Amino acid sequence: MKDIIMKRFNKSSIALTLLLSLPVANTYAALPLTAEESNNLIPYKEISVTGSYLQAQNAADDISKAADEAGAKYYHITGIEQPATGTSTDRAIVYADIYLSNAPIAVSKDEATHNGIVLYPRSKALYYLPFEIVKFKGSYNNTSEIMDSASKIAAEKNAYAFYVYSITADDVKNNEQEIDVALYKKDAPVRDFIISKAIAGQDAYEITSDAFKVMKPYQTIVFHGTFNNTSEISAAAQKYAIANDAHFYYVKEVSANRADTAQTVYVNLYK
């Protein structure tokens, strides 16, 4: 991924660190990413522009400006769509994903340990079924202190691994937080309501159609793009699920637009 990004931006002398972490202010408009470059990045959100565009790339300048105004550093055009009504045959809506300068990269992380207990990365924590979820409260100065307390609870419960599911402010005045920590056995079973796939780098999982019938989503999102198959739709939906901090997702509906125009995708999000 680093080699791809560096090759792409060598001519304009934009360092890789700008994309990954540095919030450097400049006067340049947002820059385009190829499909390959955007593949492992998590989008900030979707934007669109409407104008007289015969092709999606004709809207690049307008997309770049809109992305820049939204505080993004990069964009990737995902599709073009003819409006339902209009006065011109070249009137079109062009959609794009936009990315911040520190857009998170979807890569797997090495496992760490705390007090001898494995700290599962999010990908494994969501993939496997915990044997217990414990709630506790306390006043903590940083996440390191929270991890220390969570791992000690895991050790007391004879857990092989743990994952801190959520941290919420329970008493703001006294700086007290409420923490949910999931505990796992070494041979923990895979959750039976997700579509099984390789867990490396997966920070949100697609649920089955049976689970969709009984699980209640906390949000439904919409995005657009041109897709060749359901696998591409699912991959895009997963990125948007991660961007919205969802644990699981389900592609509820996909519009049947004509070839080479943007499809509208509706996705349910779950914790």
Side-chain angles (χ1 to χ4, degrees):
M1 181 62 192
K2 291 183 178 179
D3 290 338
I4 294 171
I5 297 294
M6 291 188 74
K7 289 178 181 178
R8 178 72 180 82
F9 294 122
N10 275 344
K11 291 184 180 180
S12 55
S13 300
I14 297 179
L16 174 63
T17 49
L18 176 62
L19 175 61
L20 298 181
S21 61
L22 299 181
V24 179
N26 59 55
T27 57
Y28 297 102
L31 297 170
L33 296 176
T34 65
E36 186 176 15
E37 290 165 356
S38 65
N39 188 49
N40 289 322
L41 298 179
I42 305 303
Y44 167 50
K45 63 179 180 179
E46 180 187 69
I47 61 170
S48 65
V49 295
T50 302
S52 298
Y53 310 120
L54 293 174
Q55 299 177 9
Q57 291 303 320
N58 294 148
D61 287 345
D62 292 341
I63 286 287
S64 177
K65 180 181 178 182
D68 197 50
E69 291 174 348
K73 295 297 181 183
Y74 305 97
Y75 68 88
H76 173 61
I77 293 176
T78 58
I80 186 171
E81 179 180 50
Q82 297 294 326
T85 58
T87 58
S88 174
T89 56
D90 64 351
R91 194 76 175 167
I93 304 170
V94 175
Y95 300 96
D97 288 338
I98 61 174
Y99 305 83
L100 302 178
S101 62
N102 59 342
I105 296 178
V107 295
S108 59
K109 302 176 179 64
D110 293 334
E111 289 182 357
T113 60
H114 287 264
N115 293 314
I117 308 298
V118 173
L119 172 61
Y120 268 168
R122 175 170 161 140
S123 58
K124 282 193 173 183
L126 299 182
Y127 193 74
Y128 292 110
L129 186 68
F131 70 85
E132 187 176 355
I133 295 179
V134 178
K135 295 180 180 291
F136 64 96
K137 296 180 181 181
S139 181
Y140 301 98
N141 296 311
N142 49 55
T143 51
S144 179
E145 292 183 1
I146 292 174
M147 293 299 172
D148 185 64
S149 292
S151 62
K152 288 178 180 178
I153 291 174
E156 291 171 0
K157 297 278 188 175
N158 296 316
Y160 167 75
F162 74 100
Y163 175 72
V164 175
Y165 249 81
S166 66
I167 303 172
T168 56
D170 185 63
D171 186 340
V172 177
K173 183 178 180 181
N174 295 314
N175 192 35
E176 188 174 70
Q177 295 97 27
E178 182 174 273
I179 295 96
D180 290 355
V181 57
L183 308 179
Y184 303 83
K185 296 294 186 182
K186 191 170 185 178
D187 57 350
V190 175
R191 294 178 189 268
D192 60 5
F193 60 80
I194 67 174
I195 296 176
S196 297
K197 59 182 71 174
I199 64 176
Q202 303 290 326
D203 283 342
Y205 288 98
E206 187 173 4
I207 65 171
T208 63
S209 56
D210 288 338
F212 162 72
K213 296 174 184 177
V214 296
M215 291 176 66
K216 185 176 181 180
Y218 71 89
Q219 185 180 358
T220 298
I221 61 171
V222 181
F223 65 90
H224 304 78
T226 303
F227 308 101
N228 296 311
N229 49 55
T230 55
S231 294
E232 291 184 0
I233 293 173
S234 178
Q238 183 187 63
K239 289 183 180 180
Y240 274 97
I242 295 170
N244 285 274
D245 200 31
H247 293 160
F248 308 99
Y249 67 96
Y250 184 81
V251 178
K252 181 181 178 181
E253 183 181 347
V254 180
S255 67
N257 292 349
R258 68 177 187 273
D260 299 324
T261 62
Q263 294 168 285
T264 303
V265 182
Y266 298 85
V267 180
N268 282 358
L269 303 181
Y270 308 82
K271 290 289 190 182

